[in-house]
């Protein structure tokens, strides 16, 4: 438990400084892992601290990337999952309006990459997770969603599964206690150990159902 506490404190310090805002390798992923850990272990001080870090994340992103791994869909999924944890009760349509608008500016017919982490399947995973939130979604248009689904199903036999996100994360080759001076993100980084410890306890892999 002492090793886990050290990792939590280390990631909390790193989260406020890391320039990458993405889900897999950046700040959003670290925020999600820390907050899930706080919920799973009843750490209210950690949860309050993470809320403060989140404030600037929605405004910092690379507009040309709509992927789950590094782009807008990853931020959208992060906010949707944090909403499900009870982190905030704000209207996601307001929080994600600009992000959803930029995602819909990409014509689904022109998205060549259909993969989960970097392509169209990941975008659809975010949208499905967003629609599963107990809140009316107005910032994503039904026609766009239908067209995206049609394009994917016409060229890719893969279907959305609830555990696709958590199963797509790679475990680091090093042990949890060796986190110093290592990558900090969810994928192949220190935050992986926190999210794997708490994710199923909170979501039970049902975020897309």
């Amino acid at each position: 438990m002492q090793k886990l506490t050290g990792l939590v404190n280390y990631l909390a310090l790193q989260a406020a400084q890391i320039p990458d805002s993405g889900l897999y390798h950046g700040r959003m992923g670290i925020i999600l892992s820390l907050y899930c850990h706080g919920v799973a272990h009843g750490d209210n001080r950690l949860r309050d601290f993470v809320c403060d870090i989140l404030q600037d994340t929605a405004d910092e992103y690379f507009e040309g990337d709509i992927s789950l791994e590094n782009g807008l869909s990853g931020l959208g999924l992060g906010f949707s999952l944090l909403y499900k944890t009870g982190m905030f009760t704000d209207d996601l349509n307001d929080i994600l309006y600009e992000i959803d608008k930029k995602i819909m500016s990409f014509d689904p017919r022109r998205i060549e990459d259909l993969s989960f982490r970097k392509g169209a399947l990941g975008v659809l995973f975010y949208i499905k997770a967003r629609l599963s939130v107990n809140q009316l979604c107005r910032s994503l248009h039904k026609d766009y969603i239908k067209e995206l689904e049609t394009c994917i199903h016409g060229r890719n036999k893969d279907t959305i599964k609830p555990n696709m996100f958590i199963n797509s994360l790679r475990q680091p080759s090093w042990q949890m206690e060796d986190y110093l001076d290592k990558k900090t993100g969810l994928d192949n980084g220190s935050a992986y150990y926190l999210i794997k410890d708490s994710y199923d306890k909170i979501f039970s892999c049902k975020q897309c159902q």
Side-chain angles (χ1 to χ4, degrees), residues 30-165:
I30 297 174
I31 288 172
L32 179 62
S33 69
L34 287 170
Y35 197 82
C36 287
H37 178 82
V39 172
H41 295 272
D43 190 337
N44 292 330
R45 286 190 297 178
L46 177 61
R47 291 163 64 178
D48 291 342
F49 175 78
V50 174
C51 286
D52 291 336
I53 304 175
L54 182 68
Q55 299 303 315
D56 299 326
T57 302
D59 300 321
E60 299 176 4
Y61 50 78
F62 176 51
E63 295 187 9
D65 190 338
I66 64 170
S67 73
L68 202 64
E69 182 171 358
N70 297 308
L72 301 175
S73 294
L75 292 181
L77 178 61
F79 275 103
S80 299
L81 292 177
L82 287 170
Y83 179 89
K84 285 192 168 189
T85 66
M87 184 183 198
F88 56 87
T89 58
D90 305 65
D91 192 338
L92 284 173
N93 294 290
D94 295 331
I95 295 173
L96 297 175
Y97 176 80
E98 289 297 330
I99 286 176
D100 290 341
K101 181 179 178 181
K102 288 180 171 63
I103 288 175
M104 290 189 297
S105 71
F106 285 77
D107 188 339
R109 296 168 298 180
R110 297 182 181 276
I111 301 178
E112 297 182 359
D113 190 337
L114 300 180
S115 68
F116 181 74
R117 290 169 60 127
K118 295 182 180 295
L121 197 62
V123 177
L124 183 59
F125 184 87
Y126 153 56
I127 292 174
K128 292 290 188 179
R130 174 73 188 287
L131 294 177
S132 73
V133 171
N134 187 26
Q135 192 182 94
L136 180 64
C137 179
R138 299 188 305 275
S139 56
L140 287 165
H141 301 161
K142 292 181 180 179
D143 290 343
Y144 180 85
I145 299 171
K146 184 177 180 180
E147 187 171 21
L148 178 63
E149 290 179 321
T150 300
C151 290
I152 292 174
H153 295 156
R155 295 185 289 159
N156 191 329
K157 295 182 179 180
D158 290 339
T159 57
I160 295 295
K161 299 178 180 64
N163 59 352
M164 287 182 83
F165 166 59

